[in-house]
Amino acid sequence: MPDHPGLARGSRLIEEDAASPAVRAVYEDIKATRRVDRVNNFWRALAVHPPTLERTWESVKQVMAPGALDPLTKELLYVAVSVTNGCEYCIASHTAAARARGMTDEQYGELLAVVGMANETNALANGFAVPVDEVFRTVS
Amino acid sequence: MPDHPGLARGSRLIEEDAASPAVRAVYEDIKATRRVDRVNNFWRALAVHPPTLERTWESVKQVMAPGALDPLTKELLYVAVSVTNGCEYCIASHTAAARARGMTDEQYGELLAVVGMANETNALANGFAVPVDEVFRTVS
Amino acid sequence: MPDHPGLARGSRLIEEDAASPAVRAVYEDIKATRRVDRVNNFWRALAVHPPTLERTWESVKQVMAPGALDPLTKELLYVAVSVTNGCEYCIASHTAAARARGMTDEQYGELLAVVGMANETNALANGFAVPVDEVFRTVS
Amino acid sequence: MPDHPGLARGSRLIEEDAASPAVRAVYEDIKATRRVDRVNNFWRALAVHPPTLERTWESVKQVMAPGALDPLTKELLYVAVSVTNGCEYCIASHTAAARARGMTDEQYGELLAVVGMANETNALANGFAVPVDEVFRTVS
Amino acid sequence: MPDHPGLARGSRLIEEDAASPAVRAVYEDIKATRRVDRVNNFWRALAVHPPTLERTWESVKQVMAPGALDPLTKELLYVAVSVTNGCEYCIASHTAAARARGMTDEQYGELLAVVGMANETNALANGFAVPVDEVFRTVS
Amino acid sequence: MPDHPGLARGSRLIEEDAASPAVRAVYEDIKATRRVDRVNNFWRALAVHPPTLERTWESVKQVMAPGALDPLTKELLYVAVSVTNGCEYCIASHTAAARARGMTDEQYGELLAVVGMANETNALANGFAVPVDEVFRTVS
């Protein structure tokens, strides 16, 4: 089993050759769906609790599939949430995914500019206790 | 001056006809840039502190202009951050802005699905203390 | 017992004349310490669980007393946290407390400007994954 | 170009001698305004996207200038927000800035005590669903 | 169709008699699983986007089922997260669910006390930049 | 005095043999109350500001004592909040505390599953602006 010099606080990662058949089936589906050779650490950590691995993968697979929004836009949204929450792992993995889907430096800069501005104006709206305009309350 | 039956906790809104020339100039620029007839409450609340009004408007105008990301994508990102922070005003106003730029119900559903999933997996990555994969650390 | 037309979701407030002697003693200490005639709703809600009321009041009384930081600065810090968390009650009550301690409109505008900017740059630092400068790691 | 042994996840930093003239002009203004010899990593990371560098620096310069609140108070507020958001970089850089402006250990202890207490009572106000007192809703 | 006097900002709720067969099937499963007569608003709002309704209900049903943790403990955990995030709807609905599973006032008071204290010490750990003890890094 | 190779950003830790009598008394109470041989870093960092050390320890001791909720449940709640806030130190220390009180891998998996789901549905409730059901507003 490989060594993990950067292994964080007691986290355990289930290696592919140590995985149960059920876990291995999820790993194979991840690799096939994403066309990658290696399952990234997030899934190998979730494999400690197989029901969470299976449910989360099924949900992510469904949610991130192409639909009314294209896959790059979905990755940008994922980064926006992860940056707002300060989740280092998720920023790293979804920035990589967005780059793999074609995100340019310019797009990344604009993404972060919007995310920064939204976090600022969220605070300003709270602080100034701005009442919602009637026009925003109407379902069109 | 109009009445504000829904006026929240002590918030003050600077009406257009009560605004100083500097504030009115910002109001006019907002209306012209966005092609709207009315300045929404966010800006009328910020007008209590004109330097914040001016700086915030200049920044938002620059950041939300068409660029490497299109205006609809930028509004979706704004909604994603605002939902994550639970900012009611900003969810309402930027959802309205996204709809004005063509967001469909289907897109809104997918946006919220991605935002929900990102918030879930951010928590899972934290809880399982997932170490960042070496492959995500490389600048390509 | 007075009516509470604005009473939020099932919250219960323990009125002064319905309070147990232990709760009433806290109420009296709040009024004496702050030189106010009325105990605000926060404490009347906590009184549903007297140990939490007593412990929280003792802590707040200690922490907010004049010390190396003056009381107005402490109220400004309380507002900064509450705005960042989007806690409507705490924004309202601590803004009122700051105003009672002399906060001007200009100071409130600058406070919110700093809080907004800090929330923006927190997001930018996360998004750009900025490494901490060596010089900031040294205890002087 | 210097080595960055602590360089985080793929972040890029634009060195001064590799910067474009526009970026270098911002760097010079940062050093002159703050009377420092070195531009800290935050700005060198933002320089990957020059419009964000320029806009953010102009905003920070304006917001953090002396005004109705003094510069130390503004740094304390910045730390309060950064601690609440758990932004390691911003805690480190603004704690250093506050120390440079004279913050003592005693003041830092009280700052964190207030920030801790505010985060606690924000949660209690949410959990007990405390309704805002009428008296806090009035603009004086 | 019933009237919704308290209907928030443009939210739409899909009534049971206006639901598609697929949505109605989820509604029936919710009522049968929880032994309730009425589907609460959360699900009626999600029904605007049926894939999100179906996926979220399947996930919640799986996650909240009795397992290694009992259902009351799971509801307490749900409240703890919702209070930390300041999600009014989720605090209200999961507090009601916890009460339906037997939560007493005393338990609710202790739950909120722990949640408040955890939010406080999270901030203190951030602010004092406490390094993780080696002993906490070991997987036992 | 021992070396701290992993010492984070300028944090100072007050060693037991360098502590003042008042700080040492708290350390002794922590060790006696928890039946441990070593005071963990959190308290050694707070000791830089003795009033915060004393107050926080007294509060934590009171809040985490057995009551209407058992100590393991309280630790699970602490982890839930810490995961939601992304506080690495608090996740590590309270996960260790929960394991010391008997938390199994299965329970940890379910805990994180609930926390993840709660964070997801908090976002969905915000995004869909779900109005609180009347039935949840009634105090029973």
Side-chain angles (χ1 to χ4, degrees):
Chain A
M1 208 180 301
D3 196 21
H4 292 287
L7 195 64
R9 171 182 58 77
S11 61
R12 268 177 299 167
L13 302 178
I14 307 297
E15 301 299 331
E16 299 194 33
D17 55 10
S20 70
V23 166
R24 203 173 303 186
V26 175
Y27 284 5
E28 292 305 319
D29 193 37
I30 291 170
K31 291 193 286 189
T33 303
R34 295 186 164 176
R35 296 176 196 180
V36 292
D37 291 331
R38 183 180 161 278
V39 172
N40 59 301
N41 289 346
F42 179 74
W43 306 107
R44 295 200 280 172
L46 262 60
V48 169
H49 193 240
T52 297
L53 174 69
E54 291 173 41
R55 181 178 49 75
T56 306
W57 166 245
E58 285 305 318
S59 294
V60 165
K61 185 167 62 168
Q62 183 190 121
V63 166
M64 299 304 281
L69 297 175
D70 64 276
L72 174 55
T73 299
K74 290 184 173 185
E75 291 294 347
L76 298 178
L77 292 167
Y78 228 108
V79 173
V81 171
S82 303
V83 166
T84 299
N85 284 333
C87 179
E88 186 193 6
Y89 185 85
C90 306
I91 298 170
S93 59
H94 287 279
T95 299
R99 286 202 188 279
R101 292 189 180 287
M103 181 181 72
T104 64
D105 274 7
E106 189 65 18
Q107 288 175 319
Y108 195 55
E110 292 193 12
L111 160 63
L112 294 182
V114 174
V115 170
M117 190 57 51
N119 275 285
E120 177 174 10
T121 58
N122 280 198
L124 292 174
N126 288 340
F128 282 106
V130 187
V132 177
D133 304 71
E134 277 310 307
V135 68
F136 295 152
R137 293 186 180 276
T138 316
V139 179
S140 60
Chain B
M1 205 182 302
D3 195 19
H4 293 286
L7 195 63
R9 171 182 60 77
S11 61
R12 268 176 300 166
L13 302 178
I14 307 297
E15 301 299 330
E16 300 194 32
D17 54 11
S20 69
V23 165
R24 202 174 304 187
V26 176
Y27 285 5
E28 291 306 318
D29 192 38
I30 290 170
K31 292 193 286 188
T33 302
R34 295 186 163 176
R35 296 176 196 181
V36 292
D37 290 333
R38 184 182 161 275
V39 172
N40 58 300
N41 289 346
F42 179 74
W43 306 108
R44 295 201 279 172
L46 261 61
V48 169
H49 193 241
T52 297
L53 173 69
E54 290 173 42
R55 180 178 50 75
T56 306
W57 167 244
E58 285 305 317
S59 293
V60 165
K61 185 167 63 168
Q62 182 190 122
V63 166
M64 300 303 281
L69 297 176
D70 64 277
L72 174 56
T73 299
K74 290 184 173 184
E75 291 294 346
L76 298 178
L77 292 167
Y78 228 107
V79 173
V81 171
S82 303
V83 165
T84 299
N85 285 332
C87 178
E88 186 192 5
Y89 185 85
C90 307
I91 298 170
S93 58
H94 287 278
T95 299
R99 287 203 187 279
R101 292 189 180 286
M103 181 180 72
T104 64
D105 274 7
E106 190 64 19
Q107 288 175 318
Y108 195 56
E110 292 193 12
L111 160 64
L112 294 182
V114 173
V115 170
M117 190 56 52
N119 275 287
E120 177 174 10
T121 59
N122 280 200
L124 292 173
N126 287 340
F128 283 107
V130 187
V132 176
D133 304 69
E134 278 309 308
V135 68
F136 296 151
R137 293 186 180 275
T138 316
V139 179
S140 60
Chain C
M1 207 183 301
D3 196 19
H4 292 286
L7 195 63
R9 170 187 58 79
S11 61
R12 269 175 300 165
L13 301 178
I14 307 297
E15 300 299 330
E16 299 194 31
D17 55 10
S20 70
V23 166
R24 201 173 304 186
V26 175
Y27 284 6
E28 292 305 318
D29 193 38
I30 291 170
K31 292 194 286 188
T33 302
R34 295 186 161 176
R35 297 177 194 177
V36 292
D37 289 333
R38 184 180 160 276
V39 172
N40 59 300
N41 288 346
F42 179 74
W43 306 108
R44 295 201 280 174
L46 262 61
V48 169
H49 193 241
T52 297
L53 173 69
E54 290 174 39
R55 182 178 48 76
T56 306
W57 167 244
E58 285 305 318
S59 294
V60 165
K61 186 167 63 169
Q62 182 190 123
V63 166
M64 300 304 280
L69 297 175
D70 63 276
L72 174 56
T73 299
K74 290 184 173 183
E75 290 295 347
L76 298 177
L77 292 167
Y78 227 107
V79 173
V81 171
S82 303
V83 165
T84 298
N85 284 333
C87 178
E88 186 193 6
Y89 185 85
C90 307
I91 298 170
S93 58
H94 287 279
T95 299
R99 287 202 187 279
R101 292 190 181 284
M103 182 180 73
T104 63
D105 274 7
E106 189 66 18
Q107 287 175 318
Y108 195 55
E110 293 192 12
L111 161 64
L112 294 182
V114 174
V115 170
M117 191 55 53
N119 275 286
E120 177 174 10
T121 59
N122 281 199
L124 292 173
N126 288 340
F128 282 106
V130 187
V132 177
D133 304 69
E134 279 309 309
V135 68
F136 296 151
R137 293 185 180 276
T138 315
V139 179
S140 58
Chain D
M1 208 182 300
D3 195 21
H4 293 286
L7 194 64
R9 170 184 59 77
S11 60
R12 267 176 301 166
L13 302 177
I14 306 298
E15 301 299 330
E16 300 194 32
D17 55 10
S20 69
V23 165
R24 201 173 305 187
V26 175
Y27 284 4
E28 292 305 318
D29 192 36
I30 291 171
K31 291 194 285 188
T33 303
R34 295 186 163 177
R35 299 179 193 176
V36 292
D37 290 332
R38 184 180 160 275
V39 172
N40 58 300
N41 288 346
F42 179 74
W43 306 109
R44 295 200 279 172
L46 261 62
V48 169
H49 192 241
T52 297
L53 173 69
E54 291 173 40
R55 181 179 47 76
T56 307
W57 166 244
E58 286 305 318
S59 293
V60 165
K61 185 167 63 167
Q62 181 189 123
V63 166
M64 299 304 280
L69 297 175
D70 63 277
L72 174 56
T73 299
K74 289 184 173 183
E75 290 295 347
L76 298 177
L77 293 167
Y78 228 107
V79 173
V81 171
S82 303
V83 165
T84 299
N85 284 334
C87 178
E88 185 193 6
Y89 186 84
C90 307
I91 298 171
S93 59
H94 287 279
T95 299
R99 287 202 187 278
R101 292 188 180 285
M103 181 180 73
T104 64
D105 275 6
E106 189 65 20
Q107 288 175 319
Y108 194 55
E110 292 193 12
L111 161 64
L112 294 182
V114 173
V115 170
M117 190 57 51
N119 275 286
E120 177 174 9
T121 58
N122 281 198
L124 292 173
N126 287 340
F128 283 107
V130 187
V132 178
D133 305 69
E134 278 309 308
V135 68
F136 296 151
R137 293 186 180 276
T138 314
V139 178
S140 58
Chain E
M1 207 181 300
D3 194 21
H4 293 286
L7 197 63
R9 170 183 60 78
S11 62
R12 268 175 299 167
L13 302 178
I14 307 297
E15 301 299 330
E16 299 194 32
D17 55 11
S20 69
V23 165
R24 202 174 303 187
V26 175
Y27 284 5
E28 292 305 319
D29 193 37
I30 290 170
K31 291 194 285 188
T33 302
R34 296 186 162 176
R35 298 177 194 177
V36 292
D37 291 332
R38 184 180 160 276
V39 172
N40 58 300
N41 289 347
F42 179 75
W43 306 109
R44 296 201 279 173
L46 262 61
V48 168
H49 193 242
T52 297
L53 173 70
E54 290 173 41
R55 182 179 47 76
T56 306
W57 167 243
E58 285 305 318
S59 293
V60 165
K61 185 166 64 167
Q62 183 190 119
V63 166
M64 299 305 280
L69 297 176
D70 63 277
L72 174 56
T73 299
K74 290 184 173 184
E75 290 295 346
L76 297 178
L77 293 167
Y78 228 107
V79 173
V81 171
S82 304
V83 165
T84 299
N85 284 333
C87 178
E88 186 192 6
Y89 185 85
C90 306
I91 298 170
S93 58
H94 287 280
T95 298
R99 286 201 188 280
R101 291 189 181 286
M103 182 180 72
T104 64
D105 275 7
E106 190 65 19
Q107 288 176 319
Y108 195 55
E110 293 192 11
L111 160 63
L112 294 182
V114 174
V115 170
M117 190 57 51
N119 276 287
E120 177 175 10
T121 58
N122 280 198
L124 292 173
N126 288 340
F128 283 106
V130 187
V132 177
D133 304 70
E134 277 309 308
V135 68
F136 296 152
R137 293 186 180 276
T138 315
V139 178
S140 60
Chain F
M1 205 183 302
D3 195 20
H4 292 286
L7 196 63
R9 172 184 59 79
S11 61
R12 270 177 298 166
L13 302 178
I14 307 297
E15 300 300 330
E16 299 195 33
D17 54 10
S20 69
V23 165
R24 201 174 305 187
V26 174
Y27 284 6
E28 292 305 318
D29 193 37
I30 290 170
K31 291 194 286 189
T33 302
R34 295 186 163 177
R35 297 175 195 180
V36 292
D37 290 333
R38 185 181 160 275
V39 172
N40 58 300
N41 288 347
F42 179 74
W43 306 108
R44 295 200 281 173
L46 263 60
V48 169
H49 193 240
T52 296
L53 173 69
E54 291 173 41
R55 181 178 50 75
T56 307
W57 167 244
E58 286 305 317
S59 293
V60 165
K61 185 167 63 167
Q62 183 189 121
V63 166
M64 299 304 280
L69 297 175
D70 63 277
L72 174 55
T73 299
K74 289 183 174 185
E75 291 294 348
L76 298 177
L77 293 167
Y78 228 107
V79 173
V81 171
S82 303
V83 165
T84 299
N85 284 333
C87 178
E88 186 193 6
Y89 185 86
C90 306
I91 298 170
S93 60
H94 287 279
T95 299
R99 287 203 187 278
R101 292 190 180 286
M103 181 181 72
T104 64
D105 275 7
E106 190 66 19
Q107 288 176 319
Y108 195 56
E110 292 192 13
L111 161 63
L112 294 181
V114 174
V115 170
M117 191 55 53
N119 275 286
E120 177 174 9
T121 58
N122 281 198
L124 292 172
N126 287 340
F128 282 107
V130 187
V132 177
D133 304 70
E134 278 309 308
V135 68
F136 295 151
R137 294 185 179 275
T138 315
V139 179
S140 59

